[in-house]
Amino acid sequence: MRDPFKRASRRIVRRLGKPVVITTANGVRIDKIKGVYSAPEEDALVKGRKGGLALKTRSATLTVCDDDIDCRQLSTDWRIIVPHVNREFFPAEHLNDGDGCTVIYLADALTPSPDMDEQGNESKWR
C-alpha cells in the first residue's frame, strides 16, 4: 500500500509544476524535472529584540519530487534555471518534507559585476 501523502505530493508537483533546468557542478544538464516555484511578493516587518523592528526576508523556493532528483548530492555549485520567471539561482539549502518531496531554498546566482577587478574586489568607491 502506498502512502497517500506521498501520492498527493507527487500529484501536486506533476500538475502544478513547470519545467526547470538544473546544471550540476560537473556541467551535467538535467532537463526533465518539474518543480513548483514560489517567490515571496513582499518582506515582512517582525518585532525584534528590545522593542525594535527587524526585516524578515523570505527566500524563493522550489519543490521537486524525490523521484526526479537525488537531493543528497545537491550543493551550492549547482545552478537552477527557472525559465518561466527568467532567473537563475543556486540552492542555498534543502529540506526533505518526508512525503516524497524536497523543498529547495533558492538564492540569487552571483553574476560578475562590471566593477569587479581580477581578484573579485569591487573597484568603485562606496
Side-chain angles (χ1 to χ4, degrees):
M1 177 179 204
R2 290 182 48 172
D3 184 10
F5 293 107
K6 287 184 182 182
R7 198 170 59 219
S9 296
R10 183 182 177 127
R11 190 175 305 142
I12 288 169
V13 171
R14 296 280 187 237
R15 289 186 180 174
L16 298 179
K18 294 187 179 181
V20 295
V21 177
I22 297 178
T23 305
T24 64
N26 300 340
V28 176
R29 191 176 162 112
I30 306 169
D31 290 329
K32 304 276 184 182
I33 293 181
K34 278 189 167 185
V36 178
Y37 173 77
S38 174
E41 293 183 11
E42 61 185 42
D43 297 325
L45 288 174
V46 295
K47 188 173 182 178
R49 294 183 183 163
K50 298 182 182 176
L53 293 176
L55 182 66
K56 180 180 180 182
T57 59
R58 294 171 282 178
S59 63
T61 61
L62 181 71
T63 304
V64 295
C65 288
D66 290 339
D67 299 340
D68 294 340
I69 186 170
D70 184 13
C71 290
R72 291 174 289 169
Q73 298 176 357
L74 197 63
S75 74
T76 56
D77 295 331
W78 290 27
R79 294 293 169 256
I80 299 174
I81 301 166
V82 184
H84 61 278
V85 294
N86 199 22
R87 290 187 62 191
E88 181 178 342
F89 301 97
F90 70 89
E93 189 178 347
H94 63 279
L95 175 68
N96 189 332
D97 70 354
D99 288 325
C101 289
T102 298
V103 178
I104 303 171
Y105 294 94
L106 303 172
D108 288 327
L110 298 175
T111 56
S113 170
D115 297 326
M116 293 279 211
D117 60 8
E118 294 84 30
Q119 288 81 26
N121 300 324
E122 283 198 41
S123 61
K124 75 176 189 178
W125 182 81
R126 295 184 208 211

